[in-house]
Amino acid sequence: IQIEISSNKKINIISKDKKGDPSRFSMIISLTINILNKNNYEINKTKNFSKNFNYNNNSNKFSLKKYEKEIENTLINKIVEESIIYLSEL
């Protein structure tokens, strides 16, 4: 078999304060696995994995970016664990 993997990260504003500045965000990490038939490269199976996390804005942008990186790593690790389990059961 041949496996195609694609991933995506998206940060959405889910609420704003009275001034219109973002106050809460949602980070969504998604992963799609396509299992292809090796002979003709047709997709036999597709599996999507997705995790999200909501968090508050921070006036210190350095701290916010550091926190977002921690969130991203945590979500990625969870998705990788799920995808390994899925692939091991094929």
Side-chain angles (χ1 to χ4, degrees), residues 32-89:
T32 302
I33 297 176
N34 291 320
I35 299 174
L36 308 171
N37 183 332
K38 191 175 180 180
N39 296 330
N40 56 12
Y41 300 105
E42 291 181 5
I43 296 175
N44 287 343
K45 291 184 181 180
T46 297
K47 179 72 174 174
N48 296 308
F49 300 90
S50 183
K51 296 285 179 196
N52 69 321
F53 186 82
N54 298 334
Y55 57 98
N56 293 325
N57 196 359
N58 187 337
S59 59
N60 182 331
K61 298 306 174 195
F62 178 77
S63 294
L64 178 63
K65 290 298 176 192
K66 185 177 174 185
Y67 185 56
E68 285 179 336
K69 193 65 177 169
E70 291 172 12
I71 294 167
E72 181 179 354
N73 287 335
T74 301
L75 296 177
I76 289 171
N77 287 334
K78 288 179 181 180
I79 289 175
V80 167
E81 286 176 16
E82 287 182 11
S83 62
I84 288 172
I85 291 168
Y86 170 75
L87 290 171
S88 67
E89 294 174 348

Side-chain angles (χ1 to χ4, degrees), residues 24-36:
R24 287 193 53 79
F25 297 100
S26 175
M27 180 182 295
I28 304 166
I29 305 281
S30 58
L31 178 85
T32 302
I33 297 176
N34 291 320
I35 299 174
L36 308 171

